[in-house]
Amino acid sequence: MVTIRAQGLSVRLGRHPAVNGIDLYLEPGQLVGIIGPNGAGKSTLIRAMLGLIKRENGSVLIDGTDSAHMTRRAMARRIAYLPQGQTLHWPLAVERLVALGRMPHLGPLSRLSVEDEALIDAALARADALHLKGRVATELSGGERARVLLARALAVGAPALIADEPLAALDPGHQIDVMDLLKAEAQAGSLVVTVLHDLGMAARYCDRLVLMDRGSLVADGAALDVLTEASLASVYGISARIDASGKWPLILPMGRVKS
Amino acid sequence: MSIRRHPLLIPALILLMLIAALGSVTLGAVPLSPARILAVLTGGGDDVARAILIDLRLPRMLLGLIVGAMLGLSGAALQGYLRNPLAEPSVLGASNAAALGAVCALYFGLAQMHPLALPALAITTSLIGIGALFLLAGPAESPLTLILAGIAIATLSGAGISLSLNLSPNPFAAMEIMSWLMGSLENRAYSHVWIALPCVAVGAALLIADGRTLDALTLGEDGAQALGIDLRRARLRLMLGVAIGVGGAVAVSGAIGFVGLIVPHLVRPLTDRSPSAILLPSMLGGAVLLTLADIGVRLIPTSSELKLGVLTALLGVPVFLIHLMRERRLW
């Protein structure tokens, strides 16, 4: 179980204010979707919460402890992070790549234990990638790669997972698989935060949506409270058909609105 | 493509190293019969053979192993850290910067004042070179900016070496410039071994301990930090390791290029390709390669002995060419 609280979080990228005084409290057991147009500051917000980027203002509390006083290793054990569009710099075997996820738990010179190996296999299995174990990660298809990288994040075994655009490059079937997996993680008690561009997926799966625009948080709550015709028009500049009659809400972008 | 380390890689490299070391002691410009060599090795032998073996060839062999090991290891570590298969101490200017420090110490008389002045200055300038490199290349560390920054530092240091030798009263300046920029193990003594060995031991220890950090960097800087790696400290250890090790090595041999480039490329296909897995094999392989190259320059019949860097450059260029062909998808 882990909680993350951002208080008055602001980040500047160069001169450009990328994140503007954001307050956010994230609780375990929820799948939280962060949505917003390109350049809204979603990834920057995530990176600031993880301490990967210099904060201009504000603080981040992890389980009530100021993250500025936590070591990187302690952070890494609490929160697993799947960066956006992860590039792999060496042609590692899938097994070796996923094993990197155990790094926050390893002593300075220790090797992977039997327990670690089991967790690696379990993570691969959950991401439906166990059959790829012996392959070379850089030779996989986009979808296979995305699942292997997700397995890498799962292998950390942290109580929180932050995934930046995990659906990019996935076909609809695998998109559903990944969302099912994230949902299952949340239902098992983890805190799962994910940046999404597919509003339909966001509305269908997320327990809570956080809508960002130009560095600020503009709406926060259940899918149908956040995704309204008015908010979609003002934030995304689109008109959309919103159908709340079915089992889950359907969001269908229709066209541009003139602002 | 192999995904596991070849089980015989390390034993084979150790065996090759022993063979190269033996070759380095037994082969040379003056042919010695096996009987005379054996006599010296068993404690007897004539004075000439004894002088050649113990005072000339043995320190040279030791230096070949020590310097080669450091160059191979630092190439592997830099490639892992920078996630760039073209990284190497001489390509990045660290070797030339160290050579500049060594030249300054020698030709402005500092080395005579204190025996530690030479390695200390070489290490300092090497550290400045690497620090400047990381500053110039910026956080993105794209291959292009890195290589450009490396060329700038190498060129500036090379110019500095030429200038200080030009200004020195030494009439053999041109020869000296060459020997510092291309490297040589000719006429080295035990005093050189005692300069290089401690520096290389410290540098190698700093680099080889950071294998896990290099592995984590496969996922990029954000990915590594999210796995609990303190990148600022890792960068400091790497810079110090390369500067101390390469500084100490270059202080006795001059800037020998390409060893750190070639060796990781040769051993990588025999490992699981993770940056940590090539560290130790690159260290052993560097020792083998440089010792063999040093035997080569002694045996190739030329009017004056070839510079070691000439031979390693000849071996290094094909590695660049293979990369070029892969980039252009000709391979």
Side-chain angles (χ1 to χ4, degrees):
Chain A
M1 297 289 165
V2 67
T3 62
I4 305 176
R5 184 190 289 280
Q7 289 172 325
L9 199 58
S10 296
V11 179
R12 233 169 231 288
L13 295 178
R15 284 187 182 177
H16 168 72
V19 167
N20 257 334
I22 286 196
D23 295 301
L24 196 61
Y25 181 59
L26 302 166
E27 291 171 295
Q30 283 203 320
L31 175 54
V32 181
I34 299 182
I35 54 174
N38 296 130
K42 306 180 293 295
S43 298
T44 308
L45 171 66
I46 283 178
R47 296 179 68 219
M49 288 198 299
L50 285 159
L52 297 175
I53 193 170
K54 212 173 148 251
R55 299 193 278 264
E56 193 185 35
N57 253 319
S59 59
V60 175
L61 306 181
I62 292 166
D63 286 334
T65 311
D66 192 333
S67 67
H69 303 306
M70 289 174 81
T71 62
R72 284 232 172 270
R73 221 168 129 79
M75 283 273 277
R77 284 189 215 153
R78 309 297 291 154
I79 308 173
Y81 171 53
L82 179 63
Q84 180 182 356
Q86 177 91 75
T87 39
L88 292 174
H89 293 279
W90 301 106
L92 294 193
V94 167
E95 191 181 358
R96 199 72 187 69
L97 180 70
V98 177
L100 291 178
R102 299 306 299 160
M103 202 174 280
H105 305 275
L106 291 179
L109 287 170
S110 60
R111 288 167 174 271
L112 291 177
S113 66
V114 180
E115 204 177 314
D116 288 319
E117 304 274 7
L119 286 165
I120 290 164
D121 280 359
L124 275 165
R126 270 191 290 166
D128 187 22
L130 194 54
H131 61 289
L132 303 172
K133 196 175 168 182
R135 299 270 301 277
V136 174
T138 44
E139 293 171 1
L140 300 174
S141 75
E144 291 170 332
R145 226 172 87 106
R147 281 179 289 146
V148 164
L149 288 168
L150 185 61
R152 203 282 303 151
L154 291 175
V156 178
L161 169 64
I162 299 186
D164 199 347
E165 290 195 35
L167 301 187
L170 292 185
D171 60 51
H174 283 119
Q175 289 196 5
I176 289 175
D177 289 344
V178 167
M179 289 312 289
D180 279 339
L181 176 69
L182 295 181
K183 183 85 180 171
E185 288 292 309
Q187 278 168 348
S190 293
L191 164 61
V192 183
V193 181
T194 177
V195 171
L196 294 173
H197 274 302
D198 188 322
L199 299 179
M201 284 291 182
R204 173 173 166 187
Y205 280 97
C206 293
D207 300 304
R208 175 182 168 192
L209 289 184
V210 173
L211 177 61
M212 289 183 72
D213 187 24
R214 276 168 282 175
S216 301
L217 199 159
V218 292
D220 182 357
L224 284 174
D225 299 331
V226 171
L227 298 173
T228 60
E229 281 178 16
S231 72
L232 290 176
S234 73
V235 172
Y236 284 95
I238 57 169
S239 62
R241 184 169 293 164
I242 301 175
D243 178 1
S245 61
K247 197 170 157 197
W248 49 69
L250 295 177
I251 315 284
L252 187 61
M254 301 299 287
R256 274 279 180 198
V257 291
K258 301 258 188 304
S259 53
Chain B
M1 201 181 261
S2 74
I3 58 167
R4 286 213 167 75
R5 174 186 287 187
H6 198 286
L8 291 178
L9 178 62
I10 299 285
L13 282 170
I14 291 175
L15 186 67
L16 273 176
M17 198 170 82
L18 292 176
I19 293 171
L22 192 66
S24 180
V25 175
T26 51
L27 301 170
V30 180
L32 291 178
S33 69
R36 282 173 82 186
I37 291 168
L38 201 66
V40 173
L41 292 181
T42 50
D46 53 295
D47 284 347
V48 177
R50 173 167 284 278
I52 290 177
L53 282 182
I54 305 293
D55 296 332
L56 292 175
R57 289 190 191 165
L58 194 58
R60 187 169 181 164
M61 177 267 275
L62 290 173
L63 280 174
L65 292 176
I66 295 168
V67 172
M70 190 63 224
L71 294 177
L73 175 62
S74 51
L78 283 168
Q79 290 183 12
Y81 178 77
L82 298 167
R83 286 149 279 148
N84 187 332
L86 295 182
E88 197 248 350
S90 70
V91 173
L92 299 183
S95 296
N96 272 3
L100 175 61
V103 165
C104 287
L106 283 173
Y107 291 91
F108 297 104
L110 301 171
Q112 283 96 328
M113 286 183 212
H114 196 280
L116 285 180
L118 174 68
L121 212 60
I123 289 167
T124 310
T125 48
S126 172
L127 196 58
I128 293 170
I130 294 193
L133 177 87
F134 283 10
L135 270 180
L136 284 173
E141 282 156 4
S142 80
L144 187 64
T145 51
L146 191 71
I147 300 288
L148 285 177
I151 290 173
I153 291 161
T155 310
L156 184 65
S157 312
I161 293 171
S162 305
L163 179 69
S164 48
L165 290 174
N166 268 176
L167 296 180
S168 81
N170 189 334
F172 303 108
M175 281 300 292
E176 288 287 324
I177 292 171
M178 273 215 306
S179 102
W180 279 105
L181 286 177
M182 297 183 165
S184 169
L185 291 175
E186 222 180 329
N187 300 326
R188 296 300 191 267
Y190 288 103
S191 59
H192 295 105
V193 176
W194 295 124
I195 290 175
L197 187 60
C199 298
V200 168
V202 172
L206 280 166
L207 294 184
I208 221 152
D210 247 348
R212 200 170 280 167
T213 302
L214 302 181
D215 283 351
L217 276 167
T218 303
L219 298 170
E221 299 204 342
D222 271 8
Q225 293 191 80
L227 281 172
I229 302 293
D230 188 334
L231 269 190
R232 263 194 305 182
R233 285 193 192 171
R235 183 180 301 129
L236 189 67
R237 280 196 299 269
L238 180 98
M239 284 172 60
L240 281 174
V242 171
I244 294 172
V246 171
V250 168
V252 299
S253 70
I256 300 168
F258 298 102
V259 175
L261 180 74
I262 305 164
V263 173
H265 282 274
L266 290 180
V267 299
R268 192 173 283 123
L270 299 169
T271 67
D272 65 10
R273 288 165 193 269
S274 60
S276 67
I278 64 164
L279 290 179
L280 186 62
S282 294
M283 188 168 150
L284 296 171
V288 173
L289 183 75
L290 197 67
T291 310
L292 290 179
D294 186 44
I295 297 174
V297 298
R298 277 184 264 167
L299 293 186
I300 295 171
T302 44
S303 54
S304 67
E305 192 176 297
L306 275 181
K307 293 286 172 237
L308 204 41
V310 178
L311 202 62
T312 54
L314 281 177
L315 297 170
V317 169
V319 177
F320 268 117
L321 284 179
I322 289 170
H323 258 273
L324 183 93
M325 285 162 82
R326 284 209 184 123
E327 283 291 312
R328 295 188 55 193
R329 305 206 180 279
L330 297 172
W331 185 302

